[in-house]
Amino acid sequence: MISKLRPARLRDALERTGRSFEIIVVDDASRDGSADRIDPAEFVVLRHSKNAGKGAALRTGFGVCTGQFVGFIDGDGQYDPCGLVELLTLCERGWDVVIGQRWDESAQVDYSLWRRGLSGLMQQLVRRIVDPSLSETQAGIKVFRGEVIRAVDPHLRSTGFSIDVEILALAKRMGFRRHGVHPIKFHH
């Protein structure tokens, strides 16, 4: 839900960095009217006429972004927008991909035991199938070098939550190997 993230809060966090940026909001056919409250003079708003899923929303956004760095944050307000700035800083230091890390002991996470167990199982599967070095894939807060997104975007097929793993697997196959994780604030 876009209204929980409050794009103005994200804008304020990014403005404090002194960097130039563009915020692209993809409304995946939300029914709460939250995208109608976003000022199109301040933010790029792209809309799906019917719900297509997280992967489809990301692919829509990736299709129009042109920045040196590309980040995304889930619109449901679970992640602190300042975390995106921290991930961006690590990308600027040379990382190809930086993923918000919910499992680090210094992360501030409010997560049910049930969800923690399901996420742990998912991570074990991803490590076995995709890359044993991945300690986090599903966090809805990530930053990439723009060239990574431009390389993988034409090959992305997922319309759902598996897009996170698909992006990382394609990036690895294409030679983008420098990935890092950073503890974040997360409230489920």
Side-chain angles (χ1 to χ4, degrees):
M1 200 178 315
I2 296 166
S3 58
K4 289 184 182 177
L5 173 61
R6 295 185 302 271
R9 189 168 169 228
L10 176 58
R11 179 204 57 221
D12 293 345
L14 292 170
E15 280 179 347
R16 285 192 296 272
T17 69
R19 300 171 178 103
S20 63
F21 61 89
E22 177 178 53
I23 297 176
I24 300 167
V25 177
V26 180
D27 176 14
D28 191 29
S30 63
R31 289 180 249 164
D32 64 1
S34 53
D36 297 332
R37 296 187 298 272
I38 296 174
D39 183 355
E42 283 192 80
F43 307 100
V44 175
V45 180
L46 306 173
R47 297 174 188 262
H48 289 170
S49 59
K50 59 184 193 173
N51 182 270
K54 175 184 178 175
L58 285 174
R59 289 170 43 209
T60 295
F62 293 160
V64 300
C65 65
T66 59
Q68 180 181 1
F69 301 99
V70 176
F72 69 80
I73 185 168
D74 286 353
D76 54 12
Q78 295 183 108
Y79 298 96
D80 182 343
C82 293
L84 201 63
V85 174
E86 294 169 357
L87 302 182
L88 171 61
T89 300
L90 293 171
C91 256
E92 287 179 323
R93 292 182 185 158
W95 293 96
D96 293 327
V97 177
V98 183
I99 304 165
Q101 173 61 276
R102 297 171 293 177
W103 312 118
D104 187 279
E105 62 185 43
S106 62
Q108 296 175 23
V109 177
D110 177 15
Y111 212 38
S112 73
L113 187 57
W114 170 251
R115 291 285 301 210
R116 190 179 296 263
L118 287 176
S119 293
L121 179 62
M122 172 70 174
Q123 283 310 120
Q124 288 178 10
L125 288 171
V126 168
R127 282 188 206 124
R128 286 194 176 127
I129 296 169
V130 179
D131 184 344
S133 71
L134 291 173
S135 61
E136 173 71 91
T137 59
Q138 297 311 116
I141 182 170
K142 296 178 180 65
V143 176
F144 306 85
R145 290 188 162 286
E147 65 223 47
V148 174
I149 293 302
R150 285 185 279 285
V152 302
D153 185 43
H155 306 283
L156 295 172
R157 299 294 173 253
S158 174
T159 58
F161 284 93
S162 62
I163 193 161
D164 295 285
V165 175
E166 184 181 24
I167 292 168
L168 296 171
L170 284 168
K172 181 180 180 183
R173 191 176 317 145
M174 293 177 174
F176 298 103
R177 300 199 183 273
R178 290 183 47 88
H179 68 273
V181 293
H182 184 71
I184 46 90
K185 294 178 185 175
F186 174 80
H187 175 74
H188 185 260

